[in-house]
Amino acid sequence: MLTQIKGLHHVTSIASDPARNNAFFTDTLGLRRVKTTVNFDAPDVYHLYYGDEVGTPGTVMTHFPFPGAARGRTGTGEVGETLFAVPPGTLDNWSDRLAGRAKDLDRDTRFGEQRLTFRSNDNEAFALVESEDARVPWTGNGVDEDHAIRGFRGATLRLADTGAMAELLGFMGYQKAETRDGVTRYLIEGGNPADAIDLSQADAAPARQGAGSVHHIAFAVEDRAAQLEVRRALTDTGYAVTPVIDRDYFWAIYFRTPGGVLFEVATNEPGFDRDEDTAHLGEALKLPTQHEHLRQQLQQHLQPLDA
Ligand code: ZN
């Protein structure tokens, strides 16, 4: 069993309109846009990162917004729901805040935690989960400290068959906590508070990715040495893992899991303040060295975020 994985690092989804995506995650949910860059593999598309003040691993929701993108189809083999932690007793307030700005608002309880589930403008599924969480939230976008999102609580994976995924999570260091209403919670100790992965078995067709779909989910490791240990262990177990890829703000490896969800393992180093002051994170368009020569045409092509 691995001991290097420290909870979630980030969740990356597909969106449509970049300005609406920015408005939803900053103005509505109150997160900070900590990096404005492009998809390193397709630089004509933004890669927008939202999180706490500095984009601490375990708080970072990211999007590839393709203007006009067709909506995805929900199904199996995907992240069905991304869970954010909010303080206990705040869901009535959040309900009021999200009314008219988010869709399909609903309340439920899972594993003893009160939840407010909703969908974004792109129909992406989220839940705000009341939980004790000592992380310091970002408060610069109109949600005060008593209510603000602390970071991720975890994520729900929706699968046609959860058996192989349960085995993989165990290998990654997660322990089965409990099963309720057909959903099984796995927790990892010794990492950040984004420590929950819920497995939901569903009898549905495979998901088709599009706007509102999670593209991949990333798990945190401390540094590159830990990442190489994880890579070696996964490879030895038979997973086809990519080489280590430099994403400027972290190092990444990717592998496809049984059931279809794309996993990434990302380093906590070097972080989002490597090329901008903390006070100005996310303000300027940052390009990786290999795409810097495209700056002028990208600045003309990419739609303004604050439109
Ligand atoms: Zn990623």
Side-chain angles (χ1 to χ4, degrees), residues 97-179:
R97 182 177 185 84
L98 294 182
R101 303 208 222 180
K103 296 178 292 186
D104 298 351
L105 293 171
D106 205 358
R107 295 281 282 268
D108 65 14
T109 304
R110 194 193 277 176
F111 303 115
E113 296 172 330
Q114 302 291 318
R115 306 175 356 133
L116 171 64
T117 55
F118 61 95
R119 289 181 177 275
S120 72
N121 58 296
D122 275 318
N123 212 42
E124 186 171 356
F126 294 99
L128 298 180
V129 181
E130 289 188 353
S131 72
E132 296 291 348
D133 190 321
R135 288 177 288 184
V136 176
W138 174 248
T139 54
N141 282 324
V143 182
D144 65 42
E145 176 149 14
D146 291 343
H147 299 88
I149 289 173
R150 267 48 187 168
F152 293 124
R153 175 74 189 91
T156 305
L157 311 185
R158 188 168 47 231
L159 303 164
D161 178 359
T162 57
M165 179 61 85
E167 204 169 304
L168 171 61
L169 289 176
F171 181 69
M172 290 169 65
Y174 283 81
Q175 292 185 337
K176 187 174 173 175
E178 58 179 320
T179 301

Side-chain angles (χ1 to χ4, degrees), residues 234-304:
L234 288 168
T235 303
D236 288 350
T237 311
Y239 286 98
V241 186
T242 67
V244 176
I245 300 171
D246 181 0
R247 295 304 190 195
D248 274 15
Y249 311 105
F250 48 87
W251 298 81
I253 56 174
Y254 304 85
F255 63 105
R256 187 71 64 180
T257 62
V261 182
L262 183 61
F263 276 13
E264 173 182 344
V265 176
T267 57
N268 288 348
E269 58 178 8
F272 295 96
D273 56 358
R274 71 176 288 271
D275 60 359
E276 282 176 301
D277 289 344
T278 302
H280 296 284
L281 282 180
E283 291 175 9
L285 177 65
K286 291 294 178 184
L287 297 175
T289 311
Q290 66 269 30
H291 297 319
E292 192 56 57
H293 69 285
L294 300 171
R295 177 173 289 277
Q296 205 175 358
Q297 73 191 72
L298 289 175
Q299 277 173 333
Q300 284 169 4
H301 167 79
L302 293 166
Q303 297 177 8

Side-chain angles (χ1 to χ4, degrees), residues 9-12 47 49 62 64 215-219 247 250 252-254 263-266:
H9 187 286
H10 63 271
V11 176
T12 295
H47 194 179
Y49 291 77
T62 98
F64 299 133
H215 183 269
H216 63 267
I217 180 168
F219 296 84
R247 295 304 190 195
F250 48 87
I253 56 174
Y254 304 85
F263 276 13
E264 173 182 344
V265 176

